[in-house]
């Protein structure tokens, strides 16, 4: 029977997961790619759906695949453009662009975020690559297993939900920060920009070693880096001590009753929220351990479901200072049969909801093939490109400190950041704008609240 239900409060049409996949294989055709995704759609019911106003409707609509015969040298620019393009979801919840030349292949994809989270997205890619490799060897490939529909967030285990109250004077999220050296998009329209970094295997391995040594997972380090850069980047800089409202994503699949199978593609995550104080003598590892403890305690309380239930009842907790998401190790192999995976990147974006004065940003991390990836997304021009580059550079700098097992105080770290990334210098302006320092004449505005 067709499935029809209302979208719930955690589902929205405005966001997407946009991804880039690079792989190699001598016998891969565009027909193989199309067929592999058709098998994915048969296995996972989410991809057989279409959006009809405010409802899910089961439908056997065609997957929207666009084929181009040449490779994109600048995959980052193409990824950002795809993340900001409008899509017709009466036709499909997924849109793909397949580019190839000889044995090299690029796949750009957009998946509506309405029913799939980061973990579900990685499962999608893993399932696709498995089918693709099998199709190259045999034309008689069948669906492994047709999964059932699962409305993850209807399986909350809480009968009574306590209200979530945070009443401190928190640092607000970063407000508008125009960049005078960048051309503006069309009036009223903005976009989401992604900055990408891939750490080498040595740095990634050191991060892992120090993570274990200090009993602090990646999410604790990422939250700490985000807190500190959110304070450091503002001019005038907020006085310390300063309270931060932290959000991070948590996986609710195993907290549901009954637990949800990890082989299901669905929306199975909610934010955790906690307050944390930053002062001058706080150290990097102290802050990271405190963040880790807060995350652990909130997970034991099934805090993600508490926030979810509060939102369903109309009680909205205060918006965070920042949100960071660690996806951990990506469950994607580097080799599927004769298919070799070279690179995989992803970012979240919006469709038509970003305006030129919007101010928002998020930070994501994931580890693939032994290399830690960092993605910072921000709204432009609301948060200027210079702001985005400085935030991204600052996050990289602090994560490298963790890799070197540095335990700087906040005061010392801020002094080091100011020396490393002096705002308004000719060198900094030239590096960020691509304009020769001698040609720089316009002043740089300082980021403000």
């Amino acid at each position: 029977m067709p499935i029809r239900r209302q979208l719930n409060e955690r589902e929205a049409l405005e966001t997407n997961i946009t991804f880039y996949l690079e792989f190699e294989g001598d016998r891969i055709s565009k027909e193989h790619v199309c067929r592999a995704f058709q098998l994915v759609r048969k296995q996972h019911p989410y991809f057989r759906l279409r959006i009809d106003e405010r409802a899910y409707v089961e439908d056997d609509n065609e997957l929207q695949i666009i084929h181009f015969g040449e490779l994109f040298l600048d995959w980052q620019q193409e990824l950002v453009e795809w993340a900001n393009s409008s899509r017709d979801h009466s036709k499909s919840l997924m849109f793909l662009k397949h580019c190839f030349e000889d044995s090299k292949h690029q796949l750009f994809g957009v998946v509506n975020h309405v029913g799939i989270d980061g973990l579900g997205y990685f499962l999608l890619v893993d399932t696709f690559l498995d089918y693709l490799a099998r199709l190259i060897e045999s034309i008689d490939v069948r669906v492994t297993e047709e999964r059932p529909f699962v409305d993850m967030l209807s399986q909350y285990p809480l009968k009574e939900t306590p209200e979530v109250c945070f009443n401190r004077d928190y640092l607000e999220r970063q407000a508008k920060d125009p960049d005078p050296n960048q051309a503006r998009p069309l009036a009223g329209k903005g976009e989401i920009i992604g900055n990408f970094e891939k750490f080498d295997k040595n740095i990634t391995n050191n991060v892992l070693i120090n993570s274990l040594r200090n009993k602090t997972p990646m999410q604790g380090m990422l939250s700490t880096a985000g807190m500190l850069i959110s304070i450091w980047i503002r001019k005038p800089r907020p006085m310390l001590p300063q309270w931060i409202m932290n959000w991070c994503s948590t996986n609710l699949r195993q907290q549901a009753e009954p637990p949800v199978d990890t082989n299901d593609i669905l929306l199975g995550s909610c934010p955790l929220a906690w307050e944390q104080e930053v002062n001058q003598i706080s150290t990097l590892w102290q802050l990271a351990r405190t963040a880790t403890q807060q995350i652990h305690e909130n997970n034991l309380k099934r805090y993600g479901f508490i926030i979810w239930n509060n939102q369903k009842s109309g009680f909205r907790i205060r918006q965070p200072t920042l949100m960071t998401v660690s996806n951990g190790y990506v469950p994607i192999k580097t080799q599927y049969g004769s298919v070799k995976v070279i690179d995989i990147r992803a970012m979240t974006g919006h469709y038509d909801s970003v305006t030129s004065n919007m101010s928002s940003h998020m930070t994501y991390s994931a580890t693939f093939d032994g290399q830690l990836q960092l993605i910072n997304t921000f709204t432009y021009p609301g948060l200027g490109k210079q702001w985005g580059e400085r935030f991204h550079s600052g996050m990289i700098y602090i994560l490298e400190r963790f890799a070197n097992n540095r335990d700087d105080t906040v005061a010392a770290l801020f002094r080091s950041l100011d020396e490393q990334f002096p705002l308004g210098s000719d060198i900094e302006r030239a590096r960020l704008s691509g304009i020769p320092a001698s040609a720089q004449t316009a002043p740089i505005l300082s980021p403000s609240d």
Side-chain angles (χ1 to χ4, degrees):
M1 294 180 60
I3 301 296
R4 185 182 183 91
R5 67 170 174 82
Q6 291 297 114
L7 299 182
N8 59 47
E9 291 83 351
R10 289 293 301 163
E11 298 169 329
L13 299 179
E14 289 80 12
T15 60
N16 62 49
I17 298 174
T18 307
F19 64 89
Y20 167 73
L21 181 62
E22 182 180 343
F23 52 95
E24 293 180 351
D26 291 330
R27 294 178 291 160
I28 303 173
S29 67
K30 61 181 181 181
E31 289 76 20
H32 285 140
V33 172
C34 294
R35 178 58 180 158
F37 270 104
Q38 288 172 350
L39 291 169
V40 171
R41 292 174 66 235
K42 290 183 178 179
Q43 179 169 334
H44 295 285
Y46 166 76
F47 299 107
R48 296 196 299 272
L49 303 179
R50 59 185 282 269
I51 298 297
D52 180 9
E53 296 178 350
R54 293 287 300 171
Y56 269 150
V57 181
E58 185 176 20
D59 188 65
D60 193 22
N61 55 311
E62 291 296 324
L63 186 67
Q64 301 299 303
I65 295 182
I66 304 172
H67 170 242
F68 285 77
E70 58 185 26
L71 302 178
F72 284 87
L73 297 179
D74 189 350
W75 62 263
Q76 295 189 38
Q77 179 180 348
E78 182 65 16
L79 187 63
V80 169
E81 289 183 5
W82 264 63
N84 288 283
S85 300
S86 298
R87 310 290 171 185
D88 183 357
H89 295 291
S90 65
K91 295 181 178 179
S92 180
L93 294 183
M94 176 182 286
F95 296 80
L96 302 169
K97 178 187 289 187
H98 178 214
C99 312
F100 61 87
E101 182 177 343
D102 297 328
S103 63
K104 297 181 179 180
H105 297 257
Q106 293 175 328
L107 191 68
F108 296 90
V110 173
V111 187
N112 194 304
H113 211 339
V114 65
I116 183 173
D117 59 11
L119 295 177
Y121 150 70
F122 289 124
L123 178 57
L124 156 69
V125 175
D126 177 68
T127 306
F128 158 72
L129 290 168
D130 178 64
Y131 278 130
L132 180 63
R134 289 160 56 189
L135 284 167
I136 295 171
E137 302 301 327
S138 173
I139 60 173
D140 187 24
V141 177
R142 312 245 177 129
V143 174
T144 305
E145 178 186 8
E146 290 195 22
R147 309 294 299 184
F149 282 92
V150 178
D151 183 3
M152 167 68 200
L153 295 177
S154 69
Q155 302 191 29
Y156 49 86
L158 304 173
K159 296 180 180 178
E160 295 183 4
T161 303
E163 286 191 357
V164 181
C165 297
F166 297 106
N167 299 314
R168 294 184 183 275
D169 185 16
Y170 299 107
L171 182 67
E172 297 290 340
R173 64 169 57 196
Q174 179 71 48
K176 186 177 178 181
D177 174 41
D179 185 343
N181 286 324
Q182 298 294 338
R184 296 291 190 269
L186 295 176
K189 188 72 174 68
E191 64 180 352
I192 294 287
I193 292 180
N195 285 334
F196 304 86
E197 177 73 9
K198 180 185 286 188
F199 295 87
D200 64 34
K201 293 187 177 182
N202 183 54
I203 292 178
T204 302
N205 187 56
N206 287 339
V207 169
L208 174 61
I209 291 173
N210 292 326
S211 169
L212 296 173
R213 178 181 296 158
N214 289 276
K215 299 180 180 179
T216 304
M218 187 64 212
Q219 183 61 66
M221 290 182 278
L222 196 66
S223 296
T224 297
M227 283 192 297
L228 295 175
I229 296 303
S230 292
I231 297 172
W232 169 77
I233 200 171
R234 301 177 192 223
K235 304 292 182 183
R237 190 165 298 152
M239 296 291 292
L240 296 179
Q242 186 66 235
W243 283 93
I244 301 292
M245 167 68 86
N246 265 295
W247 276 24
C248 77
S249 182
T250 184
N251 178 19
L252 300 180
R253 288 165 175 81
Q254 297 307 304
Q255 298 180 21
E257 292 182 353
V260 172
D261 194 322
T262 55
N263 289 319
D264 285 315
I265 291 180
L266 44 75
L267 179 63
S269 63
C270 274
L272 290 183
W274 74 95
E275 54 190 6
Q276 190 164 345
E277 186 182 34
V278 177
N279 58 51
Q280 295 272 8
I281 62 174
S282 301
T283 69
L284 283 175
W285 286 112
Q286 286 174 349
L287 291 170
R289 283 191 288 267
T290 299
T292 298
Q293 181 181 0
Q294 290 279 352
I295 294 168
H296 178 68
E297 291 177 355
N298 287 340
N299 270 324
L300 289 177
K301 298 174 184 176
R302 290 172 166 165
Y303 208 63
F305 276 114
I306 292 176
I307 292 178
W308 160 237
N309 285 357
N310 271 273
Q311 290 178 328
K312 285 188 66 176
S313 62
F315 182 81
R316 297 291 187 263
I317 69 172
R318 186 170 176 175
Q319 288 296 303
T321 307
L322 74 154
M323 183 169 183
T324 59
V325 179
S326 172
N327 289 301
Y329 287 96
V330 174
I332 296 173
K333 300 188 288 286
T334 57
Q335 193 83 32
Y336 291 78
S338 61
V339 179
K340 182 179 181 181
V341 181
I342 305 301
D343 201 0
I344 178 172
R345 306 296 180 101
M347 61 177 284
T348 59
H350 298 257
Y351 293 107
D352 299 316
S353 58
V354 181
T355 59
S356 61
N357 63 351
M358 179 179 287
S359 166
S360 67
H361 65 97
M362 286 187 67
T363 299
Y364 311 85
S365 73
T367 300
F368 170 67
D369 191 22
Q371 293 185 266
L372 175 66
Q373 297 183 5
L374 180 71
I375 304 98
N376 281 299
T377 64
F378 64 97
T379 50
Y380 172 75
L383 293 174
K385 292 184 179 180
Q386 184 192 51
W387 182 94
E389 289 284 354
R390 285 180 65 79
F391 192 95
H392 190 62
S393 297
M395 292 291 292
I396 294 170
Y397 188 76
I398 294 181
L399 290 177
E400 288 176 342
R401 299 300 247 208
F402 281 121
N404 292 322
N405 204 26
R406 295 289 297 267
D407 199 21
D408 305 344
T409 65
V410 172
L413 178 71
F414 283 180
R415 287 195 298 270
S416 181
L417 282 165
D418 288 339
E419 293 173 359
Q420 188 75 18
F421 307 106
L423 182 65
S425 68
D426 289 343
I427 294 175
E428 178 73 358
R429 287 203 301 267
R431 186 180 72 83
L432 295 179
S433 68
I435 301 174
S438 59
Q440 294 278 349
T441 56
I444 298 290
L445 296 184
S446 298
S448 59
D449 286 334

